Amino acid sequence: MEKNDNCLQLGTFLIDLIFFSIVITTTLFFLNITVTPINFIFSVFCSSVICFYSNKNIKKTIWITLFGILILIVTIVICEHTFDFSWDGNTYHKTMTAFMKNGWNPLKVTFYDYAASDIPSCAVLSQTWLDAYPKGAEIFAACIYAITGNIEGGKCFNILACIAMCFISCGFLGETTSLRRGQKIICSILLALNPVAFSQFFTYYIDGLLWQFFLLCIFCLAYLTLCEDGRLIKYCYYMIFISIVIGLNLKFSSLIYFGIPCIVFFVYWVIKKRKELKQSDEKRKIMSRFAILALGAISGTCYVGATSYMINLLRHKNPVYTMIGEGATDLITVQLPDVYQNMNNISRFICSLFSKTNGSKTIEQVEWKIPFTIYKSEFLPAHSCDVRTAGWGILFSGIFIISMAVIIFALIRYHKIKKEVCHAIYLFFGIMIGAIIFVPGLCWARYFGALFYVPVCAMIYLFMEYNKRNKTMYNVLAVVIAVLLGANMIPNIVFSDEILTDEYSVIENELQEFKNITEENEVVVGYNNRGRFSGRIFTLEDMGITDFTFGEVDENEVTGDIFSYYGLVYKIVETSYEKSTIN
């Protein structure tokens, strides 16, 4: 029991670091106080207070705090020694992060007014979402940036949340199942770690982060459903509140991802207890659950989400401006491969699940493949943080089929014996099927990370059956699924190793060479013809490269490139310096 509590408390401490950083910073924005190192220091203090409140043990609280801070430092150091290689990261995520760290208060000043007066390199930007989008991840990143002075360290939220959910999952499984220690660890890791999360570890992409909080929310909703008198009821209330608040401040689509499960589970609770609601205890229980769900939604949009939902309402009369209504930007459907454009949502999902892994938008016909077959062409796109087709992994279609067969077998076997568990599974799959039918873009893996939970659910059942019946077949099949899920991430593992070893040193050397150029010559840095990757400017400044002028660089006058992908260009002005290419 104590080991379960230690896992839950450590995971909660890490989640609280993110939560309180966002809440404290937003509160200070109301007071017209911008991001400073104090924001994060205070969030550490608040996280420790919550930890002490849960265990009433000062010694344990100190150890959890120190261990949590150590984990945070390690994630920051890792991220500082990688360069974000993503399009979104180097266009708007890093830019919003840097603006807030440099003094931008999104509640008081528009992005464009601040850019015009303080940051010329961003004055030419025109994307409407720079003001409108939820800013939860960027606020946390800005707090980290304010302490470290390195914008790349801010993207540690992806690794940090993954580690937190590994601990929390282990604690929940230890509390609610009969899994052995090794089984719990394997299942916990595979619940939190998958190709989508892995591929975004070293970027400012936030899909993996969103699915960690979705998992947290589902865990707690399921616990309230299956363990009505369990000792973690209050804990689940707290974590549901946190997951909703943070989730709603990651993406507008979180209104769907978190809203639908919460509503579906709540309706189920009411229907299940409809005959008992006249009893004061049952009525109080239902009202408590309604209150925590409503409080999370209201806090996540009206208070913590004031920098997006409320500002949009005031400026555009639309809290989700750019998502629906006037000014809406269709960033999902138009980015799907050509072959999917005229399909319905169900067809898109099925075609993507059983296709070759491919990141291209110009696929003219469905590239079907037999499950467990592997093509050489799949390995390069498989590690991408933005795979459009079959992004769940090169082996996932086969893993999914096996897992669904196991789950269907379990439902048939136990539908009369363990009704509550079966009902919870029905709810989860009903939510997923409904989402596939009505939500566009779920053929795109990063928008449908919940699919990764299916194989792990099958593993949990198989491990429990093995522990109960001691039949080797169950254990072998569970281990096979675990091994396949691990093998499914091999492209991500290989690519991550390259990023952490070879790639960083290569880019660092290139930047040092460019720094030497700026110190010896008059240099103008500008955007290339692929896009305005304004986030790169802040990476240059953090690396000590500041002796340059930002301006327009004609493509015919380019002296060289900075960064080999999603980068910048430069030209040397009035010098005899020999032309060079920095890439």
Side-chain angles (χ1 to χ4, degrees):
M1 190 70 72
E2 185 177 353
K3 291 182 178 179
N4 296 336
D5 286 347
N6 289 341
C7 287
L8 289 172
Q9 288 169 12
L10 179 57
T12 302
F13 178 84
L14 298 177
I15 292 295
D16 279 341
L17 291 178
I18 300 175
F19 174 69
F20 284 114
S21 295
I22 298 171
V23 172
I24 290 167
T25 301
T26 303
T27 302
L28 293 176
F29 281 155
F30 279 106
L31 302 175
N32 205 24
I33 301 173
T34 55
V35 174
T36 68
I38 299 298
N39 296 37
F40 187 73
I41 294 173
F42 193 34
S43 74
V44 174
F45 171 76
C46 291
S47 301
S48 296
V49 170
I50 295 296
C51 183
F52 177 73
Y53 176 79
S54 67
N55 62 45
K56 302 297 190 298
N57 185 320
I58 188 66
K59 184 177 180 180
K60 181 185 287 188
T61 298
I62 292 173
W63 278 110
I64 289 175
T65 299
L66 292 176
F67 193 33
I69 292 174
L70 177 61
I71 291 173
L72 173 68
I73 292 172
V74 171
T75 63
I76 291 174
V77 170
I78 290 173
C79 289
E80 284 184 345
H81 285 79
T82 62
F83 293 103
D84 187 345
F85 54 85
S86 69
W87 180 291
D88 289 9
N90 286 296
T91 49
Y92 66 95
H93 288 303
K94 284 169 68 174
T95 303
M96 288 194 293
T97 297
F99 268 46
M100 286 186 281
K101 178 262 185 183
N102 289 334
W104 176 44
N105 183 343
L107 286 179
K108 305 293 182 179
V109 183
T110 70
F111 176 93
Y112 309 100
D113 287 344
Y114 188 82
S117 61
D118 290 89
I119 306 180
S121 62
C122 298
V124 296
L125 302 180
S126 59
Q127 298 97 325
T128 54
W129 51 80
L130 285 162
D131 258 329
Y133 269 18
K135 303 171 180 66
E138 292 81 5
I139 289 174
F140 172 77
C143 292
I144 298 297
Y145 188 15
I147 290 178
T148 65
N150 187 326
I151 195 170
E152 299 295 343
K155 61 182 182 285
C156 69
F157 50 71
N158 279 315
I159 304 178
L160 189 68
C162 183
I163 294 172
M165 279 313 302
C166 284
F167 283 115
I168 291 175
S169 298
C170 195
F172 264 113
L173 292 177
E175 184 73 17
T176 58
T177 70
S178 59
L179 296 184
R180 298 170 184 173
R181 182 179 180 183
Q183 296 168 343
K184 284 191 302 182
I185 293 174
I186 292 171
C187 291
S188 299
I189 291 173
L190 292 176
L191 277 168
L193 188 61
N194 53 64
V196 168
F198 213 145
S199 66
Q200 297 184 0
F201 271 178
F202 311 117
T203 76
Y204 265 87
Y205 267 75
I206 55 177
D207 305 282
L209 180 66
L210 184 151
W211 289 111
Q212 304 296 355
F213 285 101
F214 179 86
L215 175 62
L216 177 60
C217 189
I218 289 294
F219 255 132
C220 294
L221 291 172
Y223 187 91
L224 293 181
T225 303
L226 302 175
C227 308
E228 294 188 26
D229 298 316
R231 68 186 189 92
L232 298 181
I233 295 295
K234 291 183 179 179
Y235 174 82
C236 286
Y237 282 172
Y238 178 64
M239 298 313 286
I240 286 175
F241 174 77
I242 284 183
S243 62
I244 293 174
V245 169
I246 297 180
L248 295 184
N249 283 281
L250 297 178
K251 287 189 171 189
F252 284 139
S253 55
S254 296
L255 290 166
I256 298 173
Y257 291 136
F258 288 84
I260 292 177
C262 289
I263 292 172
V264 168
F265 271 89
F266 182 76
V267 170
Y268 173 75
W269 296 333
V270 172
I271 293 174
K272 177 185 172 184
K273 297 291 185 180
R274 65 187 182 278
K275 295 181 180 179
E276 304 171 25
L277 288 180
K278 293 181 180 180
Q279 302 175 19
S280 58
D281 289 344
E282 293 298 332
K283 185 176 181 179
R284 189 182 303 112
K285 185 184 298 182
I286 290 295
M287 292 305 297
S288 297
R289 296 180 182 187
F290 174 79
I292 204 68
L293 295 175
L295 185 61
I298 294 171
S299 300
T301 54
C302 298
Y303 185 72
V304 181
T307 55
S308 54
Y309 297 97
M310 291 296 100
I311 283 295
N312 286 339
L313 187 62
L314 291 173
R315 293 174 182 168
H316 307 286
K317 314 302 180 186
N318 177 3
V320 289
Y321 177 69
T322 71
M323 182 179 179
I324 59 175
E326 184 179 354
T329 305
D330 187 359
L331 293 176
I332 297 179
T333 305
V334 297
Q335 293 289 329
L336 295 176
D338 296 340
V339 67
Y340 294 158
Q341 293 298 326
N342 297 320
M343 292 184 182
N344 60 46
N345 293 335
I346 300 175
S347 298
R348 289 171 177 169
F349 170 73
I350 293 173
C351 290
S352 179
L353 181 61
F354 296 103
S355 289
K356 297 177 184 177
T357 299
N358 197 324
S360 174
K361 292 193 297 182
T362 58
I363 303 173
E364 299 295 337
Q365 61 183 9
V366 179
E367 299 177 319
W368 299 104
K369 80 165 190 174
I370 299 172
F372 294 121
T373 57
I374 301 174
Y375 294 83
K376 187 177 180 180
S377 62
E378 294 183 282
F379 280 91
L380 184 59
H383 70 248
S384 171
C385 58
D386 197 13
V387 187
R388 288 172 170 78
T389 304
W392 296 278
I394 57 179
L395 297 173
F396 191 78
S397 58
I399 298 171
F400 183 78
I401 291 174
I402 294 174
S403 303
M404 282 302 302
V406 170
I407 290 173
I408 292 172
F409 172 79
L411 290 172
I412 293 173
R413 185 172 188 174
Y414 287 110
H415 75 284
K416 291 183 178 180
I417 303 174
K418 297 184 178 181
K419 292 183 180 180
E420 292 295 325
V421 175
C422 292
H423 288 169
I425 295 174
Y426 292 145
L427 288 177
F428 178 68
F429 278 100
I431 291 167
M432 291 211 303
I433 293 171
I436 291 170
I437 294 172
F438 296 108
V439 180
L442 297 194
C443 58
W444 204 335
R446 70 185 179 100
Y447 296 124
F448 198 28
L451 210 60
F452 290 114
Y453 309 145
V454 174
V456 186
C457 288
M459 286 172 53
I460 292 171
Y461 164 75
L462 290 168
F463 278 136
M464 290 180 67
E465 285 296 294
Y466 170 70
N467 296 343
K468 180 180 179 181
R469 304 175 186 278
N470 200 30
K471 290 187 177 181
T472 306
M473 176 186 66
Y474 290 108
N475 192 49
V476 169
L477 187 53
V479 171
V480 166
I481 294 176
V483 171
L484 288 172
L485 285 172
N488 194 48
M489 290 186 282
I490 287 178
N492 306 99
I493 296 171
V494 172
F495 183 63
S496 297
D497 180 64
E498 292 178 359
I499 292 176
L500 290 169
T501 54
D502 301 333
E503 188 167 323
Y504 179 79
S505 60
V506 169
I507 296 177
E508 188 178 38
N509 290 336
E510 292 172 351
L511 292 180
Q512 183 59 51
E513 183 181 346
F514 178 66
K515 183 178 182 180
N516 295 336
I517 293 174
T518 62
E519 291 173 349
E520 298 172 5
N521 305 273
E522 183 181 347
V523 176
V524 176
V525 174
Y527 300 127
N528 61 33
N529 56 11
R530 291 201 62 191
R532 294 170 174 175
F533 303 109
S534 51
R536 293 294 195 189
I537 297 291
F538 303 104
T539 299
L540 289 182
E541 293 175 354
D542 295 341
M543 298 295 289
I545 306 173
T546 57
D547 194 10
F548 64 84
T549 302
F550 178 84
E552 184 177 347
V553 178
D554 188 284
E555 62 180 9
N556 296 317
E557 300 177 352
V558 171
T559 304
D561 303 304
I562 315 168
F563 300 103
S564 56
Y565 40 78
Y566 306 149
L568 307 166
V569 294
Y570 72 93
K571 68 176 178 180
I572 297 175
V573 182
E574 297 180 0
T575 181
S576 59
Y577 189 88
E578 184 179 353
K579 187 171 183 178
S580 173
T581 300
I582 307 299
N583 61 14

